[in-house]
Amino acid sequence: MNWGWFEGLLRAVNVYSTAFGRVWLTLVFIFRLLVYLVAAEKVWSDDQKDFDCNTLQPGCTNVCYDHFFPVSHIRLWALQLILVTCPSLLVLMHVAYREAKEERLREIQGDNYRRIYPNPGKKRGGLWWTYLLSLIFKASVDLVFLYIFFRLYKNYSLPRVVKCKLQPCPNIVDCFISRPTEKNIFTLFMVVTTCVCVVLNLIEATYLIGKRCHKYLEAGEADSR
């Protein structure tokens, strides 16, 4: 899969992010996307090929693998990264809509037209809500995937040996997972970075709300004076 457009998306949305948002983008790009591309994909590339069970019964190994790995870590992480970065695309689309609207007004009314958005990238009005909702959505997606991983793989860990007694296995057979220690290390790393990203999203959302409330309080005090 070509992830190059993700890099372009993250670089573009960096222009309209707060300081917390830029830290989040750095974490996603370096500690999640690059680790996924450079290391994690290769670690899980042999997960089905080297999943061995101590039986020659046809179909037993495939059934046991499907039972213990209903969805691959790699595919879940890929889906998670796609869903987490999509809200940033909505922010860019909202800014592009503002810029296009300004351009249409300029073409109709001339260079001396009254600007609706002096700074289209300024987080005011609808763009503020779009940005805030994108933060909430990103944090929610990460939390949902953390729960999914916890339900599928207890405590986010893989054992060295699993016992399988599903049909068509003749009896209880031992199945061996390839490189479980290495996979557990990468899983823990991805879980920790995901938790850090969730915290950063919540901090940034709190910062935006607090800044907006402070602005309204200052405006109220000015009106009262």
Side-chain angles (χ1 to χ4, degrees):
M1 183 175 181
N2 184 10
W3 293 89
W5 71 279
F6 269 97
E7 180 183 356
L9 171 62
L10 295 177
R11 291 182 185 277
V13 78
N14 185 60
V15 178
Y16 309 108
S17 301
T18 65
F20 298 108
R22 293 187 183 96
V23 175
W24 180 87
L25 288 169
T26 302
L27 280 175
V28 170
F29 180 68
I30 297 178
F31 294 102
R32 293 176 69 173
L33 182 57
L34 287 184
V35 168
Y36 173 89
L37 293 174
V38 174
E41 267 192 322
K42 295 180 180 179
V43 172
W44 267 267
S45 61
D46 60 352
D47 56 348
Q48 185 172 7
K49 181 182 67 176
D50 292 340
F51 183 84
D52 295 326
C53 297
N54 58 350
T55 180
L56 298 177
Q57 177 67 33
C60 177
T61 301
N62 289 338
V63 170
C64 293
Y65 176 84
D66 181 70
H67 176 72
F68 291 107
F69 293 92
V71 184
S72 171
H73 287 67
I74 289 298
R75 293 176 180 84
L76 278 175
W77 280 329
L79 180 60
Q80 183 180 2
L81 285 171
I82 291 172
L83 293 178
V84 158
T85 51
C86 278
S88 299
L89 181 60
L90 292 178
V91 174
L92 292 179
M93 291 173 62
H94 198 149
V95 174
Y97 166 77
R98 285 184 164 190
E99 292 175 344
K101 193 172 182 179
E102 285 287 323
E103 183 63 23
R104 286 197 301 269
L105 285 175
R106 189 185 67 81
E107 292 175 355
I108 295 172
Q109 302 178 11
D111 293 335
N112 295 323
Y113 74 103
R114 182 180 178 183
R115 302 193 67 174
I116 301 177
Y117 308 110
N119 184 358
K122 189 75 171 178
K123 288 183 282 295
R124 292 178 179 175
L127 183 61
W128 185 87
W129 284 103
T130 300
Y131 195 90
L132 178 64
L133 292 176
S134 72
L135 295 176
I136 297 173
F137 182 81
K138 288 186 287 190
S140 301
V141 167
D142 278 337
L143 289 174
V144 168
F145 273 88
L146 284 174
Y147 176 76
I148 291 174
F149 273 107
F150 181 80
R151 293 289 297 176
L152 292 178
Y153 308 104
K154 299 298 183 183
N155 299 322
Y156 306 109
S157 63
L158 297 174
R160 288 182 171 83
V161 182
V162 292
K163 296 187 178 297
C164 180
K165 55 181 179 180
L166 301 173
Q167 293 293 334
C169 299
N171 46 45
I172 299 178
V173 298
D174 293 331
C175 295
F176 305 90
I177 298 173
S178 66
R179 296 190 284 185
T181 302
E182 189 174 13
K183 291 178 179 178
N184 284 332
I185 292 173
F186 276 101
T187 300
L188 181 61
F189 179 84
M190 295 298 256
V191 168
V192 171
T193 53
T194 299
C195 291
V196 174
C197 287
V198 171
V199 172
L200 284 173
N201 283 326
L202 295 178
I203 291 175
E204 188 175 10
T206 305
Y207 168 77
L208 287 177
I209 295 173
K211 189 176 179 180
R212 176 59 64 90
C213 293
H214 180 69
K215 181 179 178 181
Y216 280 129
L217 288 174
E218 286 186 340
E221 291 177 357
D223 292 339
S224 63
R225 291 174 186 172

